[in-house]
Amino acid sequence: MGTQQQINGIRLSHDFIQLGQETDTVKERPLNPLYLTLGSEEINLVLLILNLTGGRASFCGLATSGQTRPPSFDGNPDMSCCEPVSTVSVFPHRGRLELLGTLLSCAGDRLLSLSSSHAMISLVVRSADSKDLADRLCESLGLPDSKIIVEQPEDKKELSEFIRRRYPQTRAVYVEDKIKTYGIDIRSNLNLGTLTSDGAAAMEGLAVQLSDRLDSPLIHASGSGRVSGRFSLGLVTENPIGIKELDNRAVDLVSFYGPHYGDRYGIAGRALECLFDHGIRVWLAGCAGASVTVAVDKNQGKPAGQALSRVFEIPGQGPV
C-alpha cells in the first residue's frame, strides 16, 4: 500500500452495546424505526447509521452498556444485539479514501459498523477484538510516538452525570422549541456510492481498490452489518470513484453539529423525522459523536436545510 499514511492518534472507547434493525419502508421512510423507540426510552446513541439504499431500511445504533433495552426488542427477528463492543477511532482522516481502505483491510470480518465525522472515522468491533485491531492499525499507519493509543475510561457514568448537572442545556432538546446547532452545512452535486456484500470480509476487494484512489476526496462514510448478515457501506465523494462494484447516485449532503450532541438522546431521530415529514428523500444518515450527516436526493439539500431550520436553531442566520 506504499508509504504509511500519517494520522495523529487512535482512540479506543469501550462498554457499548450495538443494536440493529431491518424494517420495511412506507412512503420512503422506515416503518416503526428503532431509533424512535430508543429516544422515547431516553437512551442516547453515541453512533447511529441509517441506510435506505436497499429494499428495506437498515438501522444500527451504539448505546452505553447497561441502558435499558426497549420492550419491543427482545424476541424480534428483525432486530439484533451485540455486546460488549468497542469503538476504534482514527483521526484525522482528511478525506483520504486510501486511509479508509487501510481501515477496512485491517478490520476485515471483525468490523461490525463504521461512521465518520468531519475529522474522525470510528470502527465498531467486539471488545475482545479492539486491542488487536488498534495494534494492527499502529503497525499499518504512521503515528506520533506520543499518540499511539488514546484510551477512554470504560465507566462513563460519573462523567455523564457531571455533564448533566454542570450543563443543564444538554437536556434542552426536550424543552426548547429549537435545538441549538453551530450551523447547518449543505453541499450539492455530490456522489453516493453504495455496496452491499455478504459480510464485512467481502469488502476486502473494495479495500484494495480504495487504497489506490487519490482522485476524489472522501466526504462521509457509513457502513453497518444488516440483521440479515450482509454488510452495507455508503461513501459520499465529490465524484464517482470509478469502482464498478459501487452503485452511484447524485446526492446533496446536509450536516450539522451542536453542543453536547454526543451526550443527548433523540437529536438524530428528531432530524430524520423532520426530513421525512417534509418529503425529503433520505438515502443515508450517519451520526458520530457531535455530528449528524444526511445524504438526500440531488437538489433536495436546500429544502432539507429549510425543513431542519424549523426544528434546529442556526446561529446568526434566519431560515436556510
Side-chain angles (χ1 to χ4, degrees):
M1 293 187 181
T3 305
Q4 281 189 326
Q5 299 145 54
Q6 298 297 311
I7 60 172
N8 290 348
I10 298 175
R11 175 177 293 120
L12 271 69
S13 296
H14 302 296
D15 197 28
F16 296 115
I17 176 174
Q18 178 169 288
L19 302 174
Q21 179 192 35
E22 282 194 59
T23 181
D24 294 325
T25 58
V26 177
K27 296 182 178 179
E28 301 179 336
R29 66 191 297 168
L31 178 66
N32 300 321
L34 180 58
Y35 58 78
L36 290 184
T37 306
L38 296 171
S40 69
E41 295 287 329
E42 300 187 0
I43 295 176
N44 176 50
L45 297 175
V46 298
L47 182 145
L48 179 151
I49 300 159
L50 180 65
N51 191 316
L52 291 161
T53 60
R56 306 185 80 200
S58 176
F59 160 81
C60 173
L62 219 64
T64 302
S65 292
Q67 295 193 75
T68 304
R69 296 183 195 171
S72 60
F73 176 76
D74 291 324
N76 190 321
D78 289 331
M79 299 186 187
S80 65
C81 171
C82 182
E83 64 174 328
V85 300
S86 301
T87 60
V88 181
S89 302
V90 171
F91 59 93
H93 62 75
R94 298 195 184 98
R96 291 172 288 177
L97 282 169
E98 65 273 24
L99 175 60
L100 177 61
T102 299
L103 300 181
L104 291 174
S105 179
C106 288
D109 60 5
R110 295 175 293 190
L111 181 63
L112 300 176
S113 59
L114 70 92
S115 191
S116 70
S117 63
H118 292 292
M120 183 179 295
I121 299 177
S122 296
L123 310 178
V124 180
V125 297
R126 295 181 184 275
S127 293
D129 294 327
S130 61
K131 185 62 167 61
D132 180 68
L133 174 58
D135 289 341
R136 187 170 181 186
L137 290 174
C138 287
E139 295 172 359
S140 302
L141 303 172
L143 289 86
D145 291 339
S146 60
K147 294 187 178 178
I148 298 298
I149 296 290
V150 181
E151 189 145 8
Q152 301 282 26
E154 294 194 19
D155 187 0
K156 306 179 186 67
K157 294 184 177 63
E158 184 176 344
L159 175 61
S160 296
E161 288 303 315
F162 168 78
I163 290 174
R164 293 181 190 279
R165 291 195 304 268
R166 179 65 178 82
Y167 301 102
Q169 65 267 34
T170 60
R171 301 185 65 85
V173 62
Y174 318 113
V175 297
E176 285 186 337
D177 290 333
K178 288 191 173 185
I179 304 168
K180 291 182 173 63
T181 74
Y182 296 132
I184 296 178
D185 180 57
I186 300 171
R187 298 186 64 173
S188 302
N189 299 317
L190 302 176
N191 183 78
L192 170 61
T194 58
L195 171 66
T196 298
S197 66
D198 293 325
M203 293 284 174
E204 184 175 351
L206 177 64
V208 173
Q209 294 183 74
L210 288 174
S211 298
D212 296 327
R213 296 289 166 175
L214 304 173
D215 48 350
S216 187
L218 174 69
I219 300 171
H220 177 74
S222 282
S224 63
R226 291 175 175 260
V227 175
S228 61
R230 310 196 78 195
F231 192 92
S232 294
L233 178 68
L235 306 176
V236 180
T237 55
E238 290 183 350
N239 303 294
I241 55 180
I243 296 177
K244 64 180 182 179
E245 291 83 0
L246 294 176
D247 292 325
N248 296 298
R249 58 173 50 86
V251 297
D252 291 353
L253 197 70
V254 181
S255 59
F256 60 94
Y257 64 104
H260 310 295
Y261 275 15
D263 301 296
R264 300 163 61 178
Y265 63 85
I267 292 177
R270 183 112 176 247
L272 290 168
E273 291 304 295
C274 172
L275 295 176
F276 292 135
D277 288 344
H278 285 83
I280 304 298
R281 182 59 163 103
V282 174
W283 291 107
L284 181 73
C287 310
S291 67
V292 179
T293 304
V294 186
V296 303
D297 248 350
K298 181 182 178 181
N299 298 325
Q300 285 198 322
K302 186 173 181 179
Q306 291 171 338
L308 290 172
S309 70
R310 296 180 173 92
V311 177
F312 293 85
E313 181 180 308
I314 306 172
Q317 296 183 25
V320 174

